[in-house]
């Protein structure tokens, strides 16, 4: 009898979850199609469908707009949004604090310093057909993660509080370094300003190729450890008593989430609030179990950034807004709402 | 008997502060041990060293005859479950999911829930009475319910030994009993070895088979509650004056703190000594008031276990005591005289008289010069259980003694004393 009612609860839950996922997936697919239509040049549904079918009836310029401009940008928005949301979920779970985002340990400051350094030194190395900016951003981000890790590590342990504080300290140092470089070199800073505000303008297949290996590696690691992430939510001590190797799991997961953030930040600049807000919305809908939460957060983050980016490139066309402005505009009020309603149910 | 857990001279320090200074222990399988001791005596630290949350600086811990260090974390989780002090779960999992996490050491990374997992979780939910909570979110539960869920999760690990750190410290008294009843049941029914750390002496004394009293990182006393919870031990370890009574139902020792009136008394103590002759609870209601006003009190002769005796003991009043049910002996009368001689005033309460305590009345003849307050609110005839003998003495006393003040209204006692004092 009890067994029966128990299974009923779980079956009811399952039905709800399937519904949530079906909706989220169809919504995302729909968004991708919509985003393909929208832009400064008018491209009709017929052209797009024939492009997708691979027919030659599309003009060369249309093919270039769809295939080389819009499609990579849409895919990149998808990756960046998903990456930030997944990394945010992991950070929030390990640090067990809902007010944490993936930039908290100074990754964006590190990437920004990398960009500034490249501009300042006038280095124009091209790696994989790329302008040097994303490459420098990536190196800056990874160097920051590595430094913070080393600073916070006590023996083979990584105390979360030390990790956070080391991140905050490093980020302050890097921010002042960046400001100092900006003072020294005042001309031609528009690129940096755009980068700092977060933008996907000019994204191409090269960006995707550059970050894809890191993105997929980090994602695979996080997926592998999803169950452990749930156990970690019980608190480090309880998790250890359940047989989890807490320190190792924490170091691996923080590393993966940091790598993922570094990868997406290098191509998008610091797009704020997705990593903070999206995990919350997903958690409210599907609960705290990471095996269900992470995929949904990824879909939500991707859709959210795609909508914001499409808006950013169209609402003031031909001027492009940095998408970071829009995400912050939407995310800021929600963050305030969270602060005002700080209750136990925040998770 | 099989030894479940053994510690061999374990020492541990936080930074430079030595917390454990060599603990040797052997805990038999199926026992229910309570670790007690004052703050910073090392009781939680000891538990953490036993459960590998902390590693001892020197010495070793053996679980089931194998070094704790030789267990992998998963193997250990199958043998030992721990309920830590802070069991707050920030995330809103439902009860079923939380308890199912106890199966983690048995599950492969990608496998779903096995039939065995489901069966065991259902069993532990029945035992801990959490079945009805299964669909609820963890944050919706009361403190007692949550603690039962956490214990259920620990049981889902199918451990041989369960360690709990202050399992009831944040709970109301009704939940405290509930949790210990549950632990007791688990111990009796499934022969589960249980070690619990607590600062609640009485709760542990009621339930645990044996207590371990720690002082400054060493074992001060170990054994059944009656042997460990003695007034001397508590005085030595906690530096507190206590009274050990016996719980009438469980026959286990029960600790009551003696209020530290002595400290207050010293600051406003008067140079006026009062000796009280009472019994049968006739003085307990005003003893505290007099004590608080700063009079130097003495009392006697009282039967051990009498209500006035308990009150005087709790207040720490100088006292002559005698075993109950037999006549007061010559030695005790002599001791009582010594106290009376020092007194400025004698108070005789409206106590009943029998063979046993008649000497308490007769002694007054020897001090005609001392002032006395005699309660007369309750007719002596009705208090006389020896056929007029006490009444005769009473009347004779009233005739001969010039220093007697009869008190008709109990409430006027204090104003009367104040008048006599000046």
């Amino acid at each position: 009898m009890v067994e029966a009612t128990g299974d009923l609860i779980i079956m009811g839950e399952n039905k709800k979850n399937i519904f949530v996922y079906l909706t989220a997936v169809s919504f995302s697919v729909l968004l991708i199609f919509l985003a393909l239509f929208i832009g400064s040049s008018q491209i009709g549904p017929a052209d797009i469908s024939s492009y997708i079918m691979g027919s030659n009836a599309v003009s060369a310029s249309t093919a270039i707009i769809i295939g080389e401009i819009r499609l990579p940008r849409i895919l990149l928005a998808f990756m960046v949004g998903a990456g930030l949301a997944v990394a945010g979920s992991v950070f929030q779970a390990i640090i067990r604090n809902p007010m944490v985002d993936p930039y908290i340990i100074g990754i964006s400051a590190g990437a920004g310093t990398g960009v500034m350094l490249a501009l300042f030194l006038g280095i124009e190395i091209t790696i994989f057909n790329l302008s040097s900016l994303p490459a420098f951003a990536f190196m800056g981000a990874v160097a920051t993660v590595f430094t913070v890790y080393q600073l916070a590590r006590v023996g083979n342990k990584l105390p979360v509080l030390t990790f956070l504080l080391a991140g905050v300290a490093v980020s302050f140092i890097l921010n002042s370094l960046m400001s100092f470089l900006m003072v020294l070199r005042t001309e031609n800073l528009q690129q940096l300003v755009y980068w700092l505000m977060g933008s996907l303008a000019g994204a191409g297949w090269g960006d995707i190729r550059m970050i894809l290996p890191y993105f997929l590696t980090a994602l695979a690691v996080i997926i592998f450890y999803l169950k452990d992430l749930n156990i970690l939510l019980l608190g480090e001590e309880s998790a250890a008593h359940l047989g989890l190797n807490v320190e190792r799991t924490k170091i691996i997961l923080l590393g993966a989430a940091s790598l993922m953030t570094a990868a997406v930040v290098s191509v998008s600049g610091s797009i704020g609030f997705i990593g903070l807000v999206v995990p919350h919305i997903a958690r409210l809908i599907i609960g705290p179990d990471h095996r269900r939460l992470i995929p949904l957060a990824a879909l939500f983050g991707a859709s959210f950034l795609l909508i914001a980016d499409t808006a950013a490139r169209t609402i003031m066309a031909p001027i492009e807004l940095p998408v970071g402005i829009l995400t912050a505009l939407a995310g800021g009020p929600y963050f305030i709402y969270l602060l005002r309603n700080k209750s136990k149910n925040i998770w | 008997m099989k030894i479940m857990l053994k510690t061999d001279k374990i020492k541990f320090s936080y930074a430079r502060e030595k917390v454990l200074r060599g603990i040797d222990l052997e805990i038999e399988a199926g026992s229910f041990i309570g670790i007690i001791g004052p703050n910073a005596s090392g009781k939680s630290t000891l538990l953490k060293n036993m459960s590998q949350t902390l590693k001892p600086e020197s010495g070793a811990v053996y679980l089931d005859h194998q070094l704790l260090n030789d267990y992998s974390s998963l193997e250990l989780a199958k043998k030992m479950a721990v309920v830590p002090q802070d069991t707050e779960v920030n995330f809103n999992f439902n009860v079923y999911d939380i308890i199912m996490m106890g199966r983690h050491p048995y599950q492969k990374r990608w496998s779903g829930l096995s039939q065995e997992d489901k069966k065991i979780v259902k069993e532990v939910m029945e035992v801990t009475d959490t079945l009805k909570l299964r669909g609820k979110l963890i944050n919706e539960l009361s403190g007692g319910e949550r603690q039962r869920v956490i214990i259920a999760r620990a049981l889902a690990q199918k451990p041989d030994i369960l360690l709990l750190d202050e399992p009831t410290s944040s709970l109301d008294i009704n939940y405290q009993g509930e949790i210990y009843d549950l632990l007791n049941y688990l111990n009796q029914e499934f022969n589960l070895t249980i070690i619990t750390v607590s600062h609640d002496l009485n709760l542990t004394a009621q339930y645990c088979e044996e207590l371990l009293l720690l002082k400054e990182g060493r074992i001060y006393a170990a054994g059944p509650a009656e042997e460990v919870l003695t007034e001397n031990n508590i005085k030595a370890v906690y530096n507190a004056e206590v009274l050990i009574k016996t719980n009438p139902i469980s026959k286990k020792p029960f600790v009551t703190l003696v209020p530290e009136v002595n400290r207050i008394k010293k600051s406003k103590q008067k140079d006026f000594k009062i000796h009280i002759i009472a019994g049968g609870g006739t003085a307990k209601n005003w003893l505290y008031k007099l004590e608080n006003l700063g009079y130097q009190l003495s009392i006697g002769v009282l039967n051990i276990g009498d209500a006035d005796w308990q009150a005087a003991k709790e207040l720490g009043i100088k006292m002559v005591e005698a075993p109950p049910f037999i006549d007061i002996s010559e030695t005790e009368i002599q001791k009582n005289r010594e106290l009376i001689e020092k007194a400025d005033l004698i108070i005789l309460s409206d106590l009943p008289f029998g063979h046993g305590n008649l000497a308490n009345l007769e002694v007054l003849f020897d001090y005609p010069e001392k002032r006395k307050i005699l309660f007369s609110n309750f007719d002596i005839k009705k208090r006389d259980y020896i056929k007029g003998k006490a009444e005769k003495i009473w009347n004779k006393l009233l005739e001969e003694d010039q220093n007697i003040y009869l008190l008709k209204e109990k409430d006027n006692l204090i104003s009367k004393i104040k008048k006599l004092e000046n």
Side-chain angles (χ1 to χ4, degrees):
Chain A
M1 190 60 212
V2 174
E3 191 71 336
T5 48
D7 283 341
L8 270 182
I9 295 174
I10 292 163
M11 270 173 64
E13 287 267 303
N14 275 346
K15 265 185 196 161
K16 186 195 132 197
N17 293 343
I18 289 168
F19 173 75
V20 167
Y21 270 106
L22 279 180
T23 316
V25 170
S26 7
F27 185 65
S28 308
V29 174
L30 188 72
L31 272 179
I32 294 180
F33 277 103
L34 276 177
L36 276 176
F37 289 116
I38 301 169
S40 40
S41 359
Q42 297 296 319
I43 297 172
D47 283 340
I48 287 174
S49 48
S50 34
Y51 176 80
I52 291 167
M53 294 305 179
S55 102
N56 293 326
V58 208
S59 72
S61 65
T62 307
I64 285 172
I65 290 176
I66 296 175
E68 298 299 318
I69 297 174
R70 289 192 190 164
L71 196 57
R73 184 160 178 172
I74 287 166
L75 290 181
L76 199 65
F78 234 70
M79 281 172 74
V80 171
L84 289 174
V86 169
S89 307
V90 173
F91 273 109
Q92 288 179 2
I94 294 178
I95 293 165
R96 299 212 294 156
N97 185 329
M99 295 303 168
V100 158
D101 79 358
Y103 300 143
I104 190 116
I105 60 156
I107 291 176
S108 66
T113 310
V115 171
M116 188 62 222
L117 217 57
L119 292 174
F120 184 73
L121 301 173
I123 299 173
E124 289 293 337
I125 314 163
T126 7
I127 309 161
F128 299 124
N129 301 324
L130 276 180
S131 89
S132 53
L133 288 190
F136 267 81
F138 185 68
M139 286 188 281
V142 170
T144 309
V145 171
F146 185 76
T147 312
V148 171
Y149 242 76
Q150 291 306 321
L151 285 177
R153 220 163 152 153
V154 183
N156 60 347
K157 290 194 172 186
L158 188 70
V160 159
L161 190 66
T162 323
F163 185 65
L164 275 179
L165 290 176
V168 171
V170 167
S171 144
F172 269 114
I173 295 169
L174 290 174
N175 276 323
S176 62
L177 183 66
M178 196 156 60
S179 309
F180 175 67
L181 293 176
M182 283 162 83
V183 171
L184 289 185
R185 181 194 163 115
T186 44
E187 81 273 23
N188 204 8
L189 280 179
Q190 203 194 354
Q191 256 179 306
L192 182 75
V193 170
Y194 254 72
W195 192 92
L196 284 178
M197 288 192 281
S199 170
L200 290 168
W205 290 109
D207 294 310
I208 293 178
R209 269 198 298 275
M210 183 183 83
I211 68 166
L212 198 63
Y214 308 103
F215 185 89
L216 290 181
T217 310
L219 191 65
V221 170
I222 290 170
I223 289 172
F224 190 73
Y225 281 98
L226 283 182
K227 206 175 147 203
D228 306 55
L229 211 47
N230 285 345
I231 306 286
L232 263 182
L233 292 187
L234 299 175
E236 293 187 11
E237 214 181 312
S238 296
H241 293 313
L242 286 173
L244 189 72
N245 190 333
V246 172
E247 287 306 322
R248 198 187 64 196
T249 312
K250 225 165 58 179
I251 287 175
I252 291 173
L253 277 169
L254 284 175
S258 303
L259 182 68
M260 178 166 265
T261 313
V264 299
V265 156
S266 63
V267 291
S268 69
S270 35
I271 295 174
F273 287 102
I274 290 183
L276 177 70
V277 169
V278 170
H280 277 289
I281 301 174
R283 215 177 274 121
L284 282 178
I285 291 172
I286 206 134
D289 187 336
H290 283 84
R291 288 168 295 190
R292 298 193 289 263
L293 172 68
I294 292 275
L296 192 71
L299 282 172
F300 279 4
S303 308
F304 181 51
L305 187 58
L306 186 53
I307 296 170
D309 185 52
T310 309
R313 64 186 164 92
T314 49
I315 50 177
M316 283 182 68
I319 299 173
E320 266 208 30
L321 285 176
V323 67
I325 293 177
L326 290 181
T327 56
L329 262 184
Y334 184 75
F335 189 72
I336 292 167
Y337 164 80
L338 279 182
L339 284 176
R340 301 292 302 177
N341 290 280
K342 211 160 154 193
S343 67
K344 281 211 146 178
N345 292 325
I346 207 156
W347 291 100
Chain B
M1 259 319 241
K2 185 186 168 196
I3 302 295
M4 177 57 71
L5 191 100
K6 185 182 160 188
T7 70
D8 185 15
K9 296 189 192 65
I10 53 172
K11 293 184 179 172
F12 185 85
S13 320
Y14 287 113
R16 273 186 219 133
E17 196 189 339
K18 283 184 186 159
V19 182
L20 299 180
R21 299 156 187 260
I23 303 262
D24 278 324
L25 265 182
E26 280 191 355
I27 291 169
E28 288 175 356
S31 45
F32 188 176
I33 310 281
I35 303 177
I36 53 176
N39 292 336
S41 60
K43 50 191 196 304
S44 282
T45 309
L46 175 58
L47 200 79
K48 284 179 177 162
N49 274 275
M50 287 175 174
S51 60
Q52 233 189 7
T53 306
L54 298 172
K55 299 220 166 101
E57 250 162 43
S58 65
V61 181
Y62 299 87
L63 175 64
D64 204 359
H65 304 286
Q66 193 185 328
L67 262 178
L68 203 60
N69 274 336
D70 290 348
Y71 284 88
S72 78
S73 42
L74 282 176
E75 277 174 62
L76 185 62
K78 291 177 189 174
K79 258 189 131 47
M80 172 192 277
V82 182
V83 175
Q85 199 164 1
D86 177 21
T87 54
E88 186 118 352
V89 180
N90 282 328
F91 294 76
N92 243 336
F93 282 103
N94 71 34
V95 167
Y96 187 80
D97 287 347
I98 291 271
I99 297 175
M100 191 50 93
M101 285 186 196
R103 298 300 298 160
H104 176 260
Y106 297 89
Q107 291 166 341
K108 294 205 177 69
R109 190 169 288 281
W110 297 107
S111 66
L113 305 180
S114 69
Q115 282 310 314
E116 202 196 350
D117 290 336
K118 287 183 188 168
K119 193 178 132 245
I120 287 170
V121 166
K122 196 186 150 204
E123 278 169 15
V124 300
M125 288 176 96
E126 272 166 3
V127 170
T128 53
D129 194 23
T130 48
L131 264 175
K132 57 181 186 289
L133 305 173
R134 61 179 299 157
K136 283 201 174 179
L137 297 176
I138 189 85
N139 290 342
E140 294 170 358
L141 305 184
S142 72
E145 287 171 336
R146 192 181 70 220
Q147 199 65 319
R148 288 212 312 267
V149 169
I150 302 297
I151 291 174
R153 187 183 73 206
L155 295 179
Q157 290 173 243
K158 283 273 147 196
D160 297 332
I161 179 168
L162 177 64
L163 271 51
L164 304 100
D165 193 354
E166 302 272 6
T168 57
S169 60
S170 58
L171 302 182
D172 290 340
I173 190 159
N174 52 331
Y175 292 128
Q176 292 182 350
E178 196 183 279
I179 295 294
Y180 271 95
D181 282 335
L182 170 62
L183 294 178
N184 189 39
Y185 174 77
L186 294 170
N187 175 249
Q188 299 291 322
E189 198 68 20
F190 303 104
N191 204 31
L192 182 67
T193 312
I194 298 179
I195 304 177
T196 165
V197 160
S198 175
H199 59 234
D200 192 326
L201 301 180
N202 290 324
L203 213 49
T204 28
Q206 299 311 303
Y207 288 96
C208 299
E209 280 165 15
E210 283 186 82
L211 299 185
L212 200 66
L213 177 61
L214 294 190
K215 186 195 180 192
E216 290 160 8
R218 289 201 179 89
I219 298 173
Y220 188 83
E226 304 84 72
E227 289 171 22
V228 174
L229 293 186
T230 63
E231 284 165 23
N232 286 340
N233 281 351
I234 305 285
K235 172 80 185 161
V237 172
Y238 288 85
N239 192 26
E241 295 286 350
V242 294
L243 192 67
I244 311 280
K245 298 177 192 173
T246 303
N247 181 319
I249 298 161
S250 66
K251 307 295 176 209
K252 297 273 190 172
F254 188 86
V255 181
T256 320
L257 192 65
V258 176
E260 289 267 342
V261 282
N262 291 338
R263 237 182 284 151
I264 309 162
K265 209 167 68 183
K266 263 173 204 148
S267 62
K268 57 172 186 180
Q269 200 166 50
K270 296 182 181 175
D271 191 23
F272 192 75
K273 297 189 183 74
I274 302 175
H275 184 78
I276 296 153
I277 297 168
T282 52
K284 62 176 191 214
N285 291 332
W286 42 268
L287 268 184
Y288 184 74
K289 272 188 216 159
L290 295 192
E291 179 78 17
N292 243 6
L293 287 169
Y295 294 109
Q296 298 183 37
L297 303 180
S298 59
I299 191 164
V301 178
L302 283 175
N303 284 334
I304 294 169
D306 180 285
D308 286 337
W309 174 85
Q310 288 202 346
K313 189 106 183 168
E314 281 170 28
L315 290 167
I317 293 171
K318 245 182 263 163
M319 170 161 62
V320 181
E321 53 184 25
F325 310 122
I326 50 170
D327 291 1
I328 297 169
S329 74
E330 203 43 55
T331 12
E332 286 140 13
I333 295 171
Q334 191 48 43
K335 278 188 199 160
N336 207 27
R337 278 178 206 277
E338 284 164 22
L339 290 179
I340 294 174
E341 269 152 30
K342 288 181 207 149
D344 301 303
L345 173 69
I346 304 165
I347 297 175
L348 180 73
S349 80
D350 50 342
L351 74 164
F353 289 103
H355 277 295
N357 67 346
L358 198 62
N360 271 344
L361 184 61
E362 286 169 338
V363 77
L364 291 177
F365 281 109
D366 301 345
Y367 304 96
E369 76 291 351
K370 293 218 187 252
R371 286 173 295 180
K372 304 169 197 70
I373 295 177
L374 270 53
F375 280 48
S376 62
N377 54 315
F378 191 16
D379 191 354
I380 182 70
K381 281 177 192 154
K382 290 178 185 159
R383 297 194 265 134
D384 183 353
Y385 293 90
I386 29 179
K387 298 172 186 149
K389 220 173 168 184
E391 190 192 351
K392 219 182 245 174
I393 296 171
W394 171 274
N395 287 335
K396 196 177 172 212
L397 193 65
L398 290 191
E399 245 170 62
E400 291 178 5
D401 199 319
Q402 302 303 310
N403 282 321
I404 285 182
Y405 304 87
L406 287 176
L407 188 74
K408 274 211 150 53
E409 292 288 329
K410 272 185 179 182
D411 294 344
N412 295 337
L413 178 65
I414 295 193
S415 59
K416 188 79 200 171
I417 293 172
K418 282 192 173 154
K419 263 183 219 156
L420 292 173
E421 185 186 353
N422 298 320

